[in-house]
Amino acid sequence: MTTHTLPLFVLGHGADPHSERGVDCPGDLPPASDPALVERARRAKAALGDRLFVLGHHYQRDEVIQFADVTGDSFKLAREAAARPEAEYIVFCGVHFMAESADILTSDAQKVVLPDLAAGCSMADMATFDQVEECWEALQDAGVADQVVPITYMNSSADIKAFCGRNGGAVCTSSNARRALEWAFSQGEKVLFLPDQHLGRNTAVLEMGLDLDDCVVYNPHRPNGGLTDQQLRDAKMILWRGHCSVHGRFTAESVDDVRQRVPGVNVLVHPECRHEVVLKADHVGSTEYIIRKLAEAPSGSSWAVGTELNLVKRLAGEFPDKNVTFLDRTVCYCSTMNRIDLPHLVWALESLAAGQLVNQITVDPDTTHWAKVALDRMLALP
Ligand code: SF4
């Protein structure tokens, strides 16, 4: 289900049946303290057999990840689901935009289930369809829309992916953002980058050699994005004013602080971090890059990792011969990812095993078509 207006709800409260964001999870959930939960999840999963495929995003809690048939980033997971046509139910342990992408890429016979409908993404919610349409009108008024190629990060709603598909643009991930930008600049003179300003800026400036002055930030809450027509005409990168609330918390001081605390530490961060953090880090890359970098690191080396805490803790456990620490002193989970817990997973699996389809995420055919156009352009990147 898709809507063109996505109001921000306090998570877990309110009801928005059109966008499915922020609504309470229906049904009876077992209490989190129930010692039989693991066994119940195992039994329900076994009862469903090959009809079920459970996807687990890297940022999920361990209690949930243990039931994932495959783990990965959002794009890898959506493709894995599409490669399992025999699986009637795809239970996505992740957030709403990821489940939408899975529905877009899987067949009509496959049903995608999000165990808690309140598992949204604050970054994806920062760019609504109406706001992006308004921005496009501002670009038309400035006389530059026909030179602009819209690129959206995977972390966006299906509506925004479809917008990019309709307007000659594409989707990108944090692994291929540079290739997507290179392609976009071969198609037009400017890029509108949605919704994560940091990934857009870091890629344009650090990987493509653009100047910070080539970038402007479009603020959807201000008339004309807070920019003059001349600024829109002069800019090469028009960055949407969105960010990840988890990665946006790391500061340049976090890097200075960890360097003082841990001698010889290597600072490894995700490109969703702010530009000044990435500038101070030793290595920057996608989630898959972070995992690979730590796997390849020599025994005894020290690493401060700037990404979601569930993943950092898991990696610290997987590589006990290396000193892996969280970049910031304060605890920083993705609160919406954490909404998928064992009680919600058990509830979803048991409902499916009992023949009741719950919390299905669907994207309408027109949005699916155009979002797929944008995804296919990404897949065709050189
Ligand atoms: S970590 Fe950031 S981008 Fe990822 S789901 Fe959470 S809020 Fe969204």
Side-chain angles (χ1 to χ4, degrees):
M1 185 178 292
T2 299
T3 179
H4 291 172
T5 315
L6 303 176
L8 292 174
F9 279 94
V10 178
L11 290 165
H13 297 277
D16 179 19
H18 299 300
S19 74
E20 301 177 293
R21 278 164 170 75
V23 294
D24 285 322
C25 188
D28 291 329
L29 293 181
S33 56
D34 187 335
L37 277 179
V38 169
E39 190 45 40
R40 284 174 65 174
R42 248 188 229 132
R43 241 183 290 133
K45 200 165 178 244
L48 286 157
D50 286 346
R51 293 169 65 209
L52 171 74
F53 195 52
V54 181
L55 307 175
H57 189 270
H58 287 307
Y59 299 171
Q60 290 287 302
R61 305 156 178 261
D62 284 346
E63 71 186 40
V64 167
I65 276 290
Q66 64 179 317
F67 291 103
D69 293 307
V70 62
T71 60
D73 61 19
S74 58
F75 185 60
K76 175 185 167 191
L77 293 176
R79 293 186 82 183
E80 291 271 357
R84 299 284 172 130
E86 72 281 6
E88 188 181 342
Y89 302 122
I90 306 296
V91 172
F92 208 126
C93 299
V95 296
H96 192 274
F97 76 80
M98 299 178 181
E100 281 187 330
S101 299
D103 186 56
I104 289 166
L105 292 177
T106 51
S107 74
D108 288 347
Q110 293 176 285
K111 318 277 181 238
V112 178
V113 168
L114 185 65
D116 185 347
L117 293 180
C121 162
S122 54
M123 179 200 284
D125 286 349
M126 286 175 196
T128 68
F129 183 83
D130 288 349
Q131 290 172 333
V132 175
E133 281 269 295
E134 236 174 72
C135 170
W136 202 248
E137 278 164 25
L139 293 169
Q140 282 167 337
D141 292 346
V144 294
D146 56 350
Q147 304 161 24
V148 177
V149 178
I151 298 288
T152 190
Y153 189 22
M154 196 70 189
N155 301 15
S156 57
S157 69
D159 274 341
I160 303 304
K161 292 185 179 80
F163 174 90
C164 290
R166 275 189 209 102
N167 290 286
V171 177
C172 76
T173 67
S174 50
S175 312
N176 64 20
R178 179 191 178 147
R179 277 184 290 138
L181 285 189
E182 285 168 349
W183 171 82
F185 280 117
S186 74
Q187 305 292 305
E189 289 164 37
K190 301 171 189 296
V191 169
L192 168 63
F193 195 89
L194 302 150
D196 182 15
Q197 58 167 307
H198 300 303
L199 177 65
R201 185 182 295 105
N202 288 329
T203 311
V205 174
L206 299 176
E207 296 197 42
M208 311 242 332
L210 268 71
D211 274 350
L212 278 177
D213 289 345
D214 292 325
C215 308
V216 290
V217 177
Y218 181 96
N219 181 347
H221 302 290
R222 295 186 56 193
N224 220 48
L227 299 165
T228 63
D229 284 354
Q230 194 57 45
Q231 283 176 303
L232 289 172
R233 283 185 208 116
D234 291 344
K236 288 200 177 122
M237 280 294 283
I238 300 156
L239 303 167
W240 192 261
R241 193 167 183 270
H243 66 273
C244 164
S245 47
V246 175
H247 293 93
R249 285 177 61 115
F250 301 112
T251 60
E253 289 73 48
S254 326
V255 180
D256 295 340
D257 181 56
V258 82
R259 288 202 195 280
Q260 288 221 319
R261 280 188 285 131
V262 188
V265 72
N266 297 281
V267 178
L268 173 58
V269 301
H270 193 280
E272 286 172 25
C273 292
R274 300 172 203 209
H275 189 60
E276 59 270 26
V277 173
V278 170
L279 279 179
K280 285 202 162 207
D282 301 303
H283 309 274
V284 55
S286 64
T287 303
E288 298 291 343
Y289 172 89
I290 289 173
I291 295 170
R292 203 172 55 241
K293 199 82 194 158
L294 288 179
E296 291 167 356
S299 253
S301 55
S302 293
W303 295 83
V305 187
T307 191
E308 206 273 343
L309 186 52
N310 275 314
L311 175 62
V312 178
K313 280 167 68 178
R314 189 171 309 123
L315 291 171
E318 271 173 35
F319 305 115
D321 59 322
K322 299 160 201 180
N323 175 21
V324 178
T325 181
F326 190 57
L327 176 57
D328 203 33
R329 278 177 188 267
T330 52
V331 170
C332 189
Y333 292 104
C334 174
S335 57
T336 48
M337 282 274 183
N338 263 359
R339 291 199 68 97
I340 310 293
D341 55 10
L342 201 45
H344 281 87
L345 181 63
V346 167
W347 170 75
L349 295 181
E350 288 184 346
S351 301
L352 294 175
Q356 196 194 347
L357 178 59
V358 291
N359 286 14
Q360 185 185 3
I361 302 298
T362 57
V363 179
D364 68 71
D366 186 59
T367 306
T368 295
H369 171 78
W370 287 110
K372 204 157 176 310
V373 167
L375 285 161
D376 285 343
R377 285 194 189 117
M378 173 178 83
L379 291 174
L381 288 174

